[in-house]
Structure formats: C-alpha cells, structure tokens
C-alpha cells in the first residue's frame, strides 16, 4: 500500500478571500479539528505586517503537536524572516515558497519575466532552507507552464533545498489522462523529483479534480492538497476526497494517516465553520 500525505489549505484559502472566511478563533478551531483528524499538513495564510498574522502563527505553533504547520512566504527575505520568527517554535514547521510558473500568471501577479523569476526562486528557497529544514516550493499554474521553464524552476528549487514540490492545476480543467501525461512528462524531465515528495493541488472547477488527483497518485504523487473552505475557485473537497480513499483506497493500493472514525463528524464541523462565515 502506498501511503499519501494529506495537506489541508482551508486556512490559506480563508485568508485569500475578502473578507476572510474565518475569524482568528474559527481558524484556531479549524486547525484543532484538522489535527484531531490527523491531517499531515495544515497550510496557513501569509504572515503579513498585521500583528494578528504573526500572533496566529505563534498560537498555532504552540497548540499543534502532530500536524506540520506550512506557512507560505512572499518572495522577499523580509517575509521569510518575519515568517520564521513566528513559526520557529512549531513542532513541525515548514515554509512554502509559491511562485507562478506560467507566463500569463508571472506577468499578471508579479509583472515578471522568466529570466528574473528563476534566480529569485532559487535565492528565496535557499534562504528558507538555511532557517528551516522543511521547505516546499509551489509552482502555481504549473499545468499551463512552458515545459522547459517548469523543468528549470523545479530543478532550481530542489537544488536550493526544497524537499516538497507542489504542482498546481490552477484552472481545473484537466482530464485524468491529461494529468497522467503531465506528471509523466515532469518526472521524465526532472528525475530528481523521485527522491522528493511530489505534491498536487487541483482546482475542481469542472468536477474532474478527484479523478485527476487519483491519477496523479497513481503516477507517484505523494501529497494531495484539499480544503473544507466554502467558495470558488474550489480546491478539492477534503471530506469528499478522503471518502473516496476510504471506500476505494484498498483496491487502488492507496492508504492515508487520517482518522476514519472521526471523518464524517469532523468533516461536518469543518464545513459548518467555513460555510457559516462564507454565507454571512
């Protein structure tokens, strides 16, 4: 049986909404429920300049005992320092360097060309690794990226110290067969990935996300990112995807570390937290 890691991005998606889906107290309660469910990785929002951001990460770091706390960083050393100051006391800290790798997203989000993005990714990832043993690199919009540039980015991130590499299907329109071809192509061009954790973050805009993610696992993906957060664009549903593995995991040769006994009840509690705020 191949055991996959489950990363929940509910807290991150909450902070990316305006207004935020969850309050400080609700975010803390969400994190406690996720750890109770034995989720492997809990991903938060950025530590910005607001004192509440740092306070939340410090509180989370002293609260969670088992789940990894993954905090994204902006593409600056100041952001990395600010994040590590809040995260360093966590039992299992991780910093996540996120960068668009498609031409359209690089120009839209950062007004940046490929030749400027590559050294910046290497520099920030390497700086994170000097502070934190566990570093992730996330390639936003990876499925629409130029294959040659994506290869160079992933190689640079791995060389700089990233132990987990996340590929994002930001549009959420890939068929399972297309995901299979995409993952195979990436693994062929970046063989170093086979010694690291390959992660997948699928957007479920057309309802194809679960099938695409399962195909990714079949191809060697070791971590799937899920969410219980209300709203769109929609990451794969935590409860729905875990139920698929619960029912079909044995036949697919897939297992997870999640507490099955608490899945239905905890899933309902998580959904209720985000839904009540999202509709208010």
């Amino acid at each position: 049986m191949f055991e996959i890691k489950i990363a929940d991005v509910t807290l991150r998606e909450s902070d990316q909404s305006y207004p935020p889906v969850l309050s400080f107290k609700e975010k803390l309660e969400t994190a406690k429920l996720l750890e109770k469910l034995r989720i492997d990785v809990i991903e938060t929002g950025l530590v910005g300049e607001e004192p509440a951001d740092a306070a939340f990460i410090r509180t989370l770091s002293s609260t969670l005992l088992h789940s990894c706390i993954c905090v994204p960083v902006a593409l600056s050393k100041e952001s990395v320092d600010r994040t590590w100051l809040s995260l360093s006391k966590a039992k299992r800290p991780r910093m996540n360097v996120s960068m668009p790798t498609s031409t359209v997203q690089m120009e839209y989000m950062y007004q940046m060309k490929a030749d400027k993005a590559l050294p910046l990714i290497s520099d920030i990832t390497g700086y994170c690794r000097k502070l934190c043993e566990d570093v992730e690199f996330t390639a936003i919009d990876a499925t629409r990226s130029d294959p040659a540039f994506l290869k160079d980015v992933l190689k640079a991130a791995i060389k700089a110290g990233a132990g987990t590499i996340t590929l994002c299907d930001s549009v959420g329109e890939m068929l399972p067969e297309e995901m299979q071809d995409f993952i195979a192509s990436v693994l062929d061009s970046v063989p170093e990935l086979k010694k690291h954790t390959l992660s997948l973050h699928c957007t479920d805009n057309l309802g194809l996300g679960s099938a695409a993610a399962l195909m990714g696992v079949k191809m060697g993906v070791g971590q799937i990112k899920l969410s219980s957060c209300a709203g769109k664009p929609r990451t794969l549903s935590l409860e729905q995807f875990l139920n698929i593995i619960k029912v079909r995991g044995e036949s697919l040769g897939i297992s997870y570390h999640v507490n099955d006994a608490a899945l239905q009840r905890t899933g309902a509690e998580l959904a209720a937290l985000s839904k009540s705020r999202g509709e208010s």
Side-chain angles (χ1 to χ4, degrees), residues 4-228:
I4 60 171
K5 294 182 179 179
I6 302 299
D8 184 277
V9 298
T10 301
L11 301 182
R12 181 171 184 171
E13 290 191 343
S14 169
D15 283 0
Q16 289 176 337
S17 301
Y18 185 80
V21 174
L22 300 170
S23 67
F24 187 107
K25 181 179 179 181
E26 288 166 334
K27 288 195 294 183
L28 189 58
E29 182 62 27
T30 295
K32 290 177 179 178
L33 286 169
L34 290 170
E35 182 163 68
K36 181 180 178 181
L37 201 55
R38 295 208 298 259
I39 296 299
D40 298 288
V41 181
I42 298 173
E43 188 164 343
T44 74
L46 282 164
V47 179
E49 296 182 3
E50 292 293 330
D53 295 342
F56 176 69
I57 299 301
R58 286 196 301 269
T59 302
L60 207 59
S61 297
S62 64
T63 301
L64 300 187
L65 300 176
H66 306 292
S67 297
C68 170
I69 305 173
C70 178
V71 184
V73 298
L75 298 175
S76 72
K77 291 183 178 179
E78 291 79 10
S79 173
V80 174
D81 288 336
R82 188 165 58 240
T83 300
W84 186 241
L85 186 63
S86 305
L87 180 63
S88 59
K89 302 300 183 183
K91 299 292 189 300
R92 295 179 58 202
R94 174 185 293 179
M95 287 197 282
N96 183 4
V97 181
S98 298
M99 178 71 188
T101 53
S102 68
T103 300
V104 62
Q105 288 293 333
M106 276 191 292
E107 294 184 356
Y108 175 72
M109 294 178 68
Y110 290 99
Q111 297 77 53
M112 191 178 294
K113 300 292 186 181
D115 60 337
K116 300 292 184 182
L118 192 59
L120 181 60
I121 290 167
S122 182
D123 186 36
I124 298 300
T125 303
Y127 189 64
C128 286
R129 183 61 183 82
K130 289 179 181 180
L131 299 172
C132 183
E133 291 187 3
D134 190 355
V135 177
E136 177 177 343
F137 174 75
T138 296
I140 300 171
D141 209 22
T143 56
R144 294 195 297 173
S145 300
D146 174 71
F149 178 65
L150 182 61
K151 178 193 74 171
D152 291 342
V153 165
L154 300 186
K155 283 179 172 288
I158 291 171
K159 185 177 181 180
T164 299
I165 299 293
T166 295
L167 305 175
C168 298
D169 177 20
S170 303
V171 178
E173 297 178 356
M174 293 193 84
L175 296 170
E177 295 81 3
E178 293 171 332
M179 180 61 74
Q180 180 180 33
D181 292 343
F182 172 69
I183 297 295
S185 174
V186 171
L187 288 173
D188 183 60
S189 62
V190 190
E192 301 95 315
L193 275 171
K194 295 176 182 178
K195 297 180 180 180
H196 297 74
T197 299
L198 180 58
S199 171
L200 194 59
H201 187 167
C202 294
T203 304
D204 199 29
N205 286 342
L206 297 182
L208 298 168
S210 292
L214 287 171
M215 182 60 76
V217 172
K218 181 180 178 181
M219 296 299 296
V221 169
Q223 176 182 279
I224 299 294
K225 295 203 172 187
L226 307 166
S227 174
S228 61

